[in-house]
């Protein structure tokens, strides 16, 4: 299935198949495609309510959780271009984090930023005079569930993938729907992916392999996904290994283990 077709409401709205098992705080929550549609449509409506136009960039700096996925696909539903950024953590210097992102925002000119209320003061300082709409994740829950009409695909830009920024300012790569379709198809063929498999990953979604191999591939291929929090996995891998999911699927994982 092509990515643009996979995003259509008729492919999601009444689809109660498993999209993913989301692992947060030691608890596993099942999310269906219908759940993804409903949560994503609220973000799509919130973006339009904030005046964010199609074909503009939406940055997402949220922690591992359902809203991370809802915001990303909601931006796509609204015809916008989503891009994951790593959220601030206690392991980072907040001043350095926000100053480096201020430079990034000036370079790429996002139309919107999705974050948490506890980041609002830093975000407000960071964007200063920049015309960036700020969406607070907690507020989106009150939005009506509605998906604006947006028909995109082919050579249109689907998303923006950033480099890690380890050695300098993050660099963005714009990926078209066609480019993602070719990559998804190549991945699926190379590993003989079938609907009976399940992709498991702890890679963060702002990571290129996490985003493409462990989100775009299962979404477009309609293969169930298990998403673990990278920080939880690294801190306590034994705890994650000891838990079993109720699934008859075989597992393919780029980050945890590889079984067919």
């Amino acid at each position: 299935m092509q990515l643009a077709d996979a995003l259509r409401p008729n492919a999601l709205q009444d689809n109660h198949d498993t999209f993913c098992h989301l692992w947060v705080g030691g608890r596993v929550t099942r999310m269906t495609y219908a759940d993804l549609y409903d949560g994503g449509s609220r973000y799509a409506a919130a973006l339009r309510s904030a005046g964010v136009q199609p074909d503009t960039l939406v940055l997402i700096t949220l922690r591992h959780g359902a809203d991370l996925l809802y915001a990303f696909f909601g931006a796509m539903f609204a015809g916008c271009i989503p891009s994951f950024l790593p959220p601030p953590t206690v392991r980072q210097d907040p001043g350095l984090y926000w100053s480096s992102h201020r430079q990034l925002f000036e370079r790429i000119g996002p139309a919107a930023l999705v974050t948490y209320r506890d980041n609002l003061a830093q975000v407000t300082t960071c964007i200063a005079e920049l015309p960036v709409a700020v969406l607070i994740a907690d507020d989106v829950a009150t939005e009506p569930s509605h998906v604006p009409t947006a028909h995109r695909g082919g050579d249109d830009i689907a998303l923006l993938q950033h480099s890690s920024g380890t050695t300098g300012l993050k660099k963005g790569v714009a990926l078209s729907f066609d480019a993602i379709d070719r990559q998804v198809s190549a991945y699926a063929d190379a590993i003989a992916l079938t609907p009976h498999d399940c992709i498991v990953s702890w890679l963060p979604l702002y990571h290129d392999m996490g985003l493409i191999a462990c989100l775009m591939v299962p979404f477009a291929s309609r293969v169930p996904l298990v998403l673990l929090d990278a920080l939880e996995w690294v801190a306590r891998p034994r705890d994650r290994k000891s838990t079993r999911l109720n699934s008859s699927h075989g597992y393919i994982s780029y980050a945890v283990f590889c079984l067919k």
Side-chain angles (χ1 to χ4, degrees):
M1 182 183 294
Q2 292 187 328
L3 178 58
D5 293 333
L7 289 165
R8 302 279 187 241
N10 60 0
L12 296 168
Q13 197 166 8
D14 298 314
N15 188 340
H16 296 283
D17 291 339
T18 299
F19 165 55
C20 79
H21 287 96
L22 193 63
W23 206 318
V24 182
R27 299 176 60 122
V28 180
T29 302
R30 176 177 175 263
M31 181 186 295
T32 67
Y33 289 98
D35 294 331
L36 182 67
Y37 175 86
D38 184 63
S41 70
R42 295 183 187 281
Y43 273 90
L47 287 165
R48 287 295 177 86
S49 295
V52 180
Q53 297 300 308
D55 299 313
T56 58
L57 180 62
V58 176
L59 298 178
I60 302 163
T61 176
L62 298 175
R63 296 181 290 273
H64 180 75
D67 278 289
L68 184 68
L69 299 171
Y70 294 157
F72 182 83
F73 286 100
M76 284 190 162
F77 294 162
C80 300
I81 302 167
S83 183
F84 288 122
L85 290 178
T89 72
V90 295
R91 295 172 177 82
Q92 297 169 302
D93 179 307
L96 180 59
Y97 175 92
W98 290 110
S99 65
S100 65
H101 282 82
R102 162 76 187 194
Q103 296 176 58
L104 181 66
F105 298 162
E106 290 175 340
R107 171 179 288 183
I108 63 179
L113 172 68
V114 183
T115 189
Y116 299 111
R117 195 175 309 282
D118 54 8
N119 292 331
L120 190 55
Q122 295 95 325
V123 167
T124 302
T125 301
C126 182
I127 62 175
E129 304 84 14
L130 300 176
V132 181
V134 179
L135 273 67
I136 302 302
D138 288 343
D139 295 343
V140 175
T142 63
E143 286 288 339
S145 180
H146 170 66
V147 177
T149 302
H151 300 294
R152 303 177 75 246
D155 290 332
D156 294 329
I157 300 304
L159 59 89
L160 188 67
Q161 167 66 50
H162 283 96
S163 65
S164 65
T166 304
T167 59
L169 191 63
K170 291 180 174 66
K171 298 174 178 62
V173 177
L175 300 178
S176 69
F177 284 88
D178 280 347
I180 293 173
D181 286 338
R182 288 191 292 270
Q183 185 68 5
V184 165
S185 178
Y187 257 119
D189 290 346
I191 62 177
L193 191 66
T194 78
H196 301 291
D197 295 314
C198 179
I199 292 177
V200 183
S201 174
W202 56 263
L203 289 170
L205 298 181
Y206 54 81
H207 185 286
D208 55 352
M209 194 170 186
L211 176 59
I212 301 301
C214 303
L215 183 61
M216 292 292 96
V217 168
F219 175 77
S221 302
R222 290 301 192 256
V223 172
L225 171 65
V226 179
L227 280 180
L228 294 85
D229 186 314
L231 295 179
E232 284 188 48
W233 168 259
V234 170
R236 298 185 302 278
R238 186 179 183 88
D239 293 349
R240 306 288 82 77
K241 184 179 178 181
S242 65
T243 301
R244 297 289 182 267
L245 293 171
N246 295 322
S247 174
S248 60
H249 294 280
Y251 287 91
I252 297 176
S253 173
Y254 301 92
V256 185
F257 48 87
C258 185
L259 296 173
K260 289 284 280 182

